[in-house]
């Protein structure tokens, strides 16, 4: 999970799967989210969780100071695998980093050598924070 930039709203989605690895296809699950501050001050404000009614949940937040924290995501009171997840709020994003930036899209395509193609690249800095400007 990536953090964010001070005073810039951020979000990520969590998708639930059953014990056999099948994606849940409906909402209404008892999912909760909270943050755990690792410093003396609260790093995150405006934390919310929205049920998308397809087995996924959108978590929105806004960092209010620079610092490290963790997202504690639970289902029916039990921590999801890997939770709590560390994250960081930074003052500004860094330069784009090839190891964390991705090509956006879900379809695989083939292209003939020597031909052109347009792609959308989602730039992220070395901490995985999305670069929007």
């Amino acid at each position: 999970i990536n953090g964010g930039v001070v005073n810039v709203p951020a979000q990520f989605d969590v998708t639930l799967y059953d014990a056999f690895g099948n994606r849940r296809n409906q909402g209404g699950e008892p999912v909760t989210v909270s943050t755990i501050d690792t410093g003396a001050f609260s790093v995150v404000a405006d934390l919310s969780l929205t049920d998308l009614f397809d087995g996924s949940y959108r978590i929105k937040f806004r960092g209010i100071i620079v610092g490290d924290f963790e997202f504690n995501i639970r289902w029916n009171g039990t921590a999801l695998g890997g939770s709590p997840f560390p994250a960081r709020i930074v003052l500004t994003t860094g330069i784009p980093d090839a190891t964390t930036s991705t090509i956006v899209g879900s379809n695989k395509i083939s292209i003939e050598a020597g031909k052109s193609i347009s792609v959308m690249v989602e730039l992220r800095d070395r901490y995985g924070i999305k670069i929007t400007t």
Side-chain angles (χ1 to χ4, degrees), residues 4 15 25 29 36-37 49 51 53 55 59 61 68 73-74 95 110-111 113 115 119 127:
T15 303
N25 59 10
E29 300 286 346
I36 302 167
D37 296 310
L49 176 111
D51 188 341
F53 300 105
I59 297 169
F61 64 98
D68 295 320
I73 304 172
R74 297 183 168 270
I95 61 172
S110 298
I111 184 77
K115 298 290 182 178
V119 296
Y127 298 110

Side-chain angles (χ1 to χ4, degrees), residues 19-99:
F20 302 104
N22 300 309
R23 181 182 168 149
R24 303 286 297 177
N25 59 10
Q26 62 186 25
E29 300 286 346
V31 176
T32 59
V33 63
S34 61
T35 58
I36 302 167
D37 296 310
T38 57
F41 301 100
S42 180
V43 175
V44 174
D46 305 330
L47 181 66
S48 68
L49 176 111
T50 302
D51 188 341
L52 301 178
F53 300 105
D54 64 355
S56 59
Y57 299 80
R58 179 154 296 143
I59 297 169
K60 294 183 178 182
F61 64 98
R62 180 177 56 85
I64 53 175
I65 63 171
V66 171
D68 295 320
F69 67 102
E70 297 174 327
F71 285 104
N72 185 16
I73 304 172
R74 297 183 168 270
W75 172 80
N76 205 24
T78 302
L80 293 183
S83 184
F85 302 97
R88 171 177 288 160
I89 299 295
V90 297
L91 191 56
T92 62
T93 56
I95 61 172
D97 185 291
T99 63

